[in-house]
Amino acid sequence: DDRDEDRYYTGWDDWLPQVWTAIGAPQKPLVREIPKPAYTVDISEGTAQPTTPYEKIVPEGATPLTLTENTLLTPEGYDRDIRHYVFKIKDTGLDYNVGDVLAIFPRNHADQVDEFCKMYGLDPTSELTVSATPDARNAIPEELNVRQLFQCVLDIFGKPNRRFYDGLALFATDPAEKEKLEFITSEDPEGKAMYRELSNDMVNHADILKMFPSARPPLEQLMSMIPVIKPRSYSIASAPNMHPDEIELCVVAVDWEVPTTGEVRYGQCTSYLMKQAAGETIMCSVKPSSIVLPEDDEAPLLMAGMGTGLAPWRALTQHRIHEHMNGKKVGPCVIYYGARKAASEYLYREEFEKYEAMGILTMRTAFSRDQARKIYVQNRITEDYKNVIDNMLHKNGSFYVCGSSRNVPEDIYNAMKEVMMKGGQMGEADAEATLASLKMSGRYTVEAWS
């Protein structure tokens, strides 16, 4: 599942046992041994101030960037915390293209790390000297303290996969705990159900270590068992021709309730960003996305976005506006934007109204809770079917979608199919073929997140 945190490992872990069975491979040995550690760790007494400064702990592929702005876009106390972030890239050697994404390497909160260390019997100030063998899977700095290991490197509050439970069973000294851990990763339907329940509860590595107190792998083993903190990617909300010295993001804070306990938890990266003040250093990298501008600057751009899905369309529109202001002829931009309430979630309203006044942008908004009948982006698209057909089929336009992967791509696709059938006088099969052709030619692009 490429939208899961574990990427292909989700499918791999389910598929591999079936392969062993199909080829008649031996079952797991009755007595399994703890693997030889891929790291050696020397532990020494530390102080409150770590020997290695935090700014020296840079993940592979990351560039330290200075955060210059953290502005709340929604009203104070509103149930959706949406923020505008600005990062300085001048003199960093980092640049970007319109449509790129910024990957943020978050850090765990120090108070949570200290709580975990207390539970696990670790001194967070202890200094570590780490040596990796050729079998090491994670890039661990050679010098850091325990707090930095779990705050900046290991994803201790990330979701464990089956391999973690299976490995942890080797360290359990309590027979009942060992049996339960092995059961969770077994092929037994009840064991699989238990694993799914834990996954649905979004338990993390620290939760599992707390649940099984007799299983206490040493640090050199945890360094292999727990993956490093993964970067989270966000669509860049600025255009490099308009903002060459900075990168801007529009990010909504993520939170959820644990089904079985009612506990409210917060997204690792968004909660980290929320707490960063201007002047803080954040580890980042720029990555390309599926969003590419058409070669023809006069080709229409039709963009659909919900909530912070507006971010990349702000970037594309800024690009066109900058070109226009420098005397270049550009095609029209149309944004179909959806949110709950205009008063609270019409992001960058003044900026977009200025672009509309310039004659380059048309906003088609759908605020679902501002009237008795709920109106969504797909409704605005089908209402505007004549313009959509004209821009897409007669003027060589490009259509872009950005939003949650759960329902948004399918809802917008169905709206576009209706547009093709109604405005293009097509049957369903021809409408689907037309949309497939647009996708193949790069003129129908979906940028979705999970």
Side-chain angles (χ1 to χ4, degrees):
D1 181 355
D2 66 353
R3 291 173 185 154
D4 189 274
E5 279 191 2
D6 294 320
R7 303 292 175 176
Y8 57 86
Y9 281 113
T10 49
W12 173 265
D13 289 338
D14 288 337
W15 176 73
L16 193 58
Q18 301 172 44
V19 174
W20 298 142
T21 301
I23 66 174
Q27 296 295 314
K28 288 180 182 178
L30 294 177
V31 178
R32 295 191 296 148
E33 295 182 353
I34 292 173
K36 183 179 179 181
Y39 305 86
T40 58
V41 180
D42 292 326
I43 303 176
S44 59
E45 187 176 346
T47 61
Q49 191 68 26
T51 302
T52 301
Y54 274 86
E55 59 269 22
K56 296 295 183 182
I57 301 177
V58 182
E60 285 185 335
T63 299
L65 296 183
T66 301
L67 181 71
T68 60
E69 184 180 332
N70 175 351
T71 303
L72 183 64
L73 297 179
T74 47
E76 194 76 42
Y78 189 61
D79 65 351
R80 283 187 181 173
D81 185 294
I82 302 176
R83 293 174 182 262
H84 179 74
Y85 298 99
V86 181
F87 299 83
K88 177 186 173 185
I89 61 170
K90 187 178 181 180
D91 300 325
T92 65
L94 203 66
D95 57 15
Y96 67 108
N97 296 312
V98 64
D100 282 350
V101 300
L102 187 69
I104 305 288
F105 292 82
R107 289 180 169 176
N108 289 317
H109 301 300
D111 56 343
Q112 291 180 308
V113 169
D114 287 353
E115 184 180 340
F116 164 75
C117 288
K118 182 179 180 181
M119 181 274 294
Y120 207 73
L122 296 169
D123 179 355
T125 67
S126 293
E127 292 287 341
L128 308 176
T129 302
V130 182
S131 299
T133 71
D135 295 328
R137 61 174 289 196
N138 292 328
I140 310 288
E142 294 180 357
E143 302 283 343
L144 77 172
N145 70 11
V146 170
R147 181 182 290 117
Q148 290 172 323
L149 176 68
F150 292 107
Q151 188 177 359
C152 308
V153 184
L154 295 184
D155 197 11
I156 187 64
F157 302 115
K159 187 173 72 172
N161 58 20
R162 290 179 183 273
R163 191 178 293 105
F164 179 77
Y165 291 95
D166 190 53
L168 191 62
L170 297 173
F171 295 90
T173 56
D174 182 295
E177 290 185 9
K178 186 181 188 71
E179 183 179 354
K180 187 174 181 179
L181 283 164
E182 290 176 341
F183 184 65
I184 290 171
T185 59
S186 70
E187 291 301 297
D188 189 291
E190 291 186 16
K192 288 185 174 183
M194 190 180 295
Y195 176 77
R196 280 195 302 272
E197 184 179 330
L198 289 166
S199 296
N200 291 338
D201 267 0
M202 300 294 286
V203 296
N204 56 46
H205 296 99
D207 292 329
I208 298 302
L209 290 168
K210 188 175 182 179
M211 286 171 60
F212 298 94
S214 80
R216 287 291 179 262
L219 286 177
E220 58 266 26
Q221 294 285 359
L222 288 179
M223 289 177 182
S224 293
M225 295 171 65
I226 299 173
V228 295
I229 295 172
K230 303 175 183 71
R232 271 64 168 178
S233 295
Y234 300 96
S235 297
I236 294 175
S238 55
N241 57 0
M242 186 179 285
H243 300 280
D245 296 332
E246 62 190 28
I247 285 176
E248 301 181 3
L249 297 182
C250 179
V251 179
V252 60
V254 176
D255 60 64
W256 68 92
E257 187 176 285
V258 177
T260 56
T261 65
E263 178 191 358
V264 177
R265 290 194 169 183
Y266 301 91
Q268 181 186 38
C269 194
T270 58
S271 63
Y272 165 73
L273 281 174
M274 280 174 60
K275 296 184 178 181
Q276 302 307 303
E280 296 285 350
T281 299
I282 296 177
M283 304 301 162
C284 309
S285 67
V286 171
K287 297 180 179 179
S289 75
S290 58
I291 299 170
V292 180
L293 280 169
E295 293 182 6
D296 181 4
D297 290 326
E298 295 184 41
L301 301 181
L302 281 68
M303 301 160 277
M306 281 54 72
T308 54
L310 187 65
W313 314 148
R314 179 177 182 255
L316 267 62
T317 304
Q318 284 185 352
H319 176 84
R320 284 267 168 108
I321 292 293
H322 185 269
E323 297 281 277
H324 169 74
M325 293 175 67
N326 282 275
K328 196 166 186 176
K329 190 174 181 181
V330 297
C333 296
V334 182
I335 295 179
Y336 301 92
Y337 175 59
R340 295 184 301 177
K341 298 178 180 179
S344 307
E345 296 181 53
Y346 195 160
L347 309 175
Y348 307 110
R349 182 172 188 166
E350 291 183 4
E351 179 181 347
F352 286 129
E353 288 177 345
K354 183 175 70 174
Y355 298 158
E356 285 191 281
M358 295 170 68
I360 303 298
L361 174 66
T362 300
M363 293 292 295
R364 306 282 191 197
T365 57
F367 297 103
S368 61
R369 300 187 185 180
D370 278 352
Q371 60 285 312
R373 182 176 69 90
K374 290 187 176 181
I375 299 173
Y376 300 104
V377 165
Q378 55 265 35
N379 302 128
R380 294 303 188 212
I381 291 172
T382 54
E383 290 169 2
D384 200 32
Y385 72 95
K386 290 182 180 178
N387 287 322
V388 175
I389 286 290
D390 184 48
N391 284 319
M392 293 300 297
L393 300 188
H394 304 145
K395 296 180 179 177
N396 204 38
S398 293
F399 186 79
Y400 303 88
V401 183
C402 184
S404 168
S405 61
R406 277 179 290 181
N407 298 314
V408 170
E410 184 179 358
D411 290 342
I412 300 302
Y413 175 83
N414 288 333
M416 286 295 286
K417 185 166 70 171
E418 185 178 334
V419 165
M420 294 297 157
M421 293 170 67
K422 185 176 181 180
Q425 303 299 308
M426 302 178 191
E428 184 175 5
D430 287 340
E432 290 176 349
T434 299
L435 293 176
S437 177
L438 289 172
K439 288 183 178 182
M440 290 293 290
S441 62
R443 291 174 51 212
Y444 188 122
T445 303
V446 177
E447 184 82 353
W449 66 82
S450 55

